[in-house]
Amino acid sequence: TELGMCEQLVPEFLKRGVKMIAVSCDPVEDHNKWIEDILHREDKKDATGLRFPIIADEKREIVTMLGMLDPKEKDAAGLPLPARALILIDPEKKVRFSILYPATTGRNFSEVLRAVDSVMLTANHKLATPANWKQGDRCVVTPMVPSDEAKTLFKNFNIEQLPSNKEYLRLVDCPPIKGMEEETPPPAVVIESQQQKESCC
């Protein structure tokens, strides 16, 4: 179901300049069988393949290096299953965020897109996002931006009054996220692990 959701969301990731790459511990032959099933479930029976690559990591070298194995969930051979891990890597090849779910828990890709948007706001506008933020909600100005500068950069600047009298909650309207309405930036890379097909959700 996760690779099917990724296939659905390819346009959303591309709008943000994000390239998806999946990692599996099964051989390419099994991937080809998966892809047929995935496209069938997504009602894309005429498609010839997924719109993102899957790396065949049969020796588990990549998932071991990236800490993606779940020691508590094992396959029929007693080997640890790859956890449902996801890593966002920026164009400078730096990790911007990572998530790690148990092998038996499916990932929330709405949250992945939300986190990508938040990372882009920080990188491009020096803004932070508060709890439960979603695209279009007001953002928090990071400490590296002086208030006088923030007033000129963002709309509807406001400092939330708190008992401590500290001015760290400086809220502004969310600006357009680069790559959504403008020219697509250099692609970031998402690397995700996919557990073996025997226990695939």
Side-chain angles (χ1 to χ4, degrees):
T1 59
E2 291 190 316
L3 293 181
M5 180 56 64
C6 288
E7 176 66 18
Q8 286 185 36
L9 293 174
V10 164
E12 289 298 320
F13 282 104
L14 287 178
K15 283 196 298 186
R16 293 161 170 82
V18 176
K19 178 181 179 181
M20 289 189 289
I21 302 174
V23 179
S24 164
C25 292
D26 288 316
V28 172
E29 293 76 13
D30 287 354
H31 295 174
N32 292 333
K33 296 175 183 177
W34 281 2
I35 290 170
E36 184 178 356
D37 290 344
I38 292 165
L39 294 174
H40 177 84
R41 292 193 76 248
E42 297 302 322
D43 198 25
K44 294 184 176 181
K45 303 176 185 64
D46 295 330
T48 58
L50 300 176
R51 291 176 287 178
F52 55 89
I54 304 175
I55 297 173
D57 184 28
E58 292 185 69
K59 295 182 179 179
R60 304 189 175 208
E61 294 173 346
I62 296 174
V63 294
T64 299
M65 177 182 65
L66 296 177
M68 289 179 164
L69 292 176
D70 186 342
K72 293 186 178 181
E73 298 292 338
K74 298 182 180 180
D75 62 15
L79 296 173
L81 290 171
R84 296 179 186 265
L86 185 146
I87 301 171
L88 179 72
I89 303 172
D90 71 13
E92 284 72 43
K93 298 181 176 61
K94 295 181 180 179
V95 173
R96 300 307 298 268
F97 76 77
S98 63
I99 60 174
L100 182 65
Y101 291 178
T104 52
T105 302
R107 283 159 287 194
N108 183 331
F109 282 90
S110 294
E111 169 62 13
V112 173
L113 288 171
R114 189 189 79 94
V116 169
D117 289 344
S118 176
V119 167
M120 294 179 72
L121 282 170
T122 302
N124 298 325
H125 300 285
K126 299 179 181 178
L127 293 174
T129 52
N132 296 327
W133 175 88
K134 60 184 181 296
Q135 191 177 142
D137 288 352
R138 282 167 66 76
C139 302
V140 179
V141 181
T142 58
M144 66 185 74
V145 182
S147 292
D148 289 343
E149 182 181 349
K151 292 175 183 177
T152 65
L153 291 175
F154 309 112
K155 295 180 179 179
N156 296 321
F157 176 90
N158 178 65
I159 300 175
E160 186 171 324
Q161 299 301 311
L162 300 168
S164 66
N165 292 320
K166 293 185 179 295
E167 298 184 351
Y168 50 78
L169 283 183
R170 301 175 296 160
L171 302 174
V172 296
D173 290 351
C174 181
I177 297 174
K178 185 177 181 181
M180 299 291 287
E181 290 83 13
E182 304 173 359
E183 183 179 353
T184 302
V189 178
V190 169
I191 298 180
E192 65 161 324
S193 70
Q194 176 68 18
Q195 67 181 61
Q196 289 183 303
K197 63 181 183 299
E198 289 86 357
S199 56
C200 189
C201 295

